[in-house]
Amino acid sequence: MKHTLLALLCATGLTACHETVATDTGSSNNGGGIHIPSAAEISKGKEQHYAEQLPILQARNPEAEARASISQGKRYFLCNAGRGSSVPGVDPTVFASLTGNCPTECLDGVTDALYGENHRRYLTVALDYSAKWNKVMLDACR
């Protein structure tokens, strides 16, 4: 009896959850249903974000910002896109010998996913920024 009651409760809970999600028609006024954004909606939002962030990143000075970070005691490399074990601007064998000295962080948008043309342009600038940052950071991480 216990098992039958438990199975019935589980099935009822799953059905209610399924009905809530299934009633979403994609409109913002759908009677309280849940809107799950499509891949296209997510990509469009990210594309707009990186279009806005590109001129901001282009205006920054990676060498000056890296020196300021070092003077504040914050030493880290900026990552490369993808899952590799290297960082932009630093020879991979040199980086491998320093991985225990400084952690690696990533700028916003530096990822192996590509959301579109604006993100591609942003990523190109971000990797150039990272290479310049890492060259300054190299001596501090030795």
Side-chain angles (χ1 to χ4, degrees), residues 64-82:
E65 290 182 18
R67 286 190 293 273
S69 181
I70 292 166
S71 71
Q72 295 171 4
K74 299 176 187 170
R75 293 169 172 80
Y76 57 92
F77 290 111
L78 291 175
C79 78
N80 207 344

Side-chain angles (χ1 to χ4, degrees), residues 122-142:
Y122 175 89
L123 184 57
T124 299
V125 172
L127 292 175
D128 182 58
Y129 178 99
S130 296
K132 291 174 182 174
W133 169 286
N134 290 338
K135 286 178 182 176
V136 172
M137 197 60 65
L138 188 58
D139 287 333
C141 290
R142 289 184 191 238

Side-chain angles (χ1 to χ4, degrees), residues 30-142:
N30 58 13
I34 299 169
H35 174 70
I36 300 172
S38 68
E41 290 173 301
I42 293 169
S43 183
K44 182 179 178 185
K46 298 250 183 201
E47 270 288 271
Q48 179 63 34
H49 171 74
Y50 293 116
E52 294 166 359
Q53 292 303 308
L54 179 59
I56 296 168
L57 183 59
Q58 288 172 320
R60 291 173 57 185
N61 182 328
E63 293 93 347
E65 290 182 18
R67 286 190 293 273
S69 181
I70 292 166
S71 71
Q72 295 171 4
K74 299 176 187 170
R75 293 169 172 80
Y76 57 92
F77 290 111
L78 291 175
C79 78
N80 207 344
R83 301 174 193 269
S85 58
S86 66
V87 295
V90 177
D91 180 85
T93 56
V94 172
F95 176 67
S97 70
L98 300 174
T99 55
N101 298 358
C102 288
T104 303
E105 296 184 14
C106 296
L107 289 174
D108 175 43
V110 176
T111 177
D112 56 356
L114 193 59
Y115 297 105
E117 189 58 28
N118 290 326
H119 185 224
R120 185 198 59 75
R121 284 193 288 273
Y122 175 89
L123 184 57
T124 299
V125 172
L127 292 175
D128 182 58
Y129 178 99
S130 296
K132 291 174 182 174
W133 169 286
N134 290 338
K135 286 178 182 176
V136 172
M137 197 60 65
L138 188 58
D139 287 333
C141 290
R142 289 184 191 238

Side-chain angles (χ1 to χ4, degrees), residues 6-29:
L6 183 58
L8 182 60
L9 287 173
C10 286
T12 304
L14 290 174
T15 302
C17 180
H18 173 72
E19 287 174 5
T20 301
V21 173
T23 59
D24 182 19
T25 61
S27 68
S28 60
N29 187 13

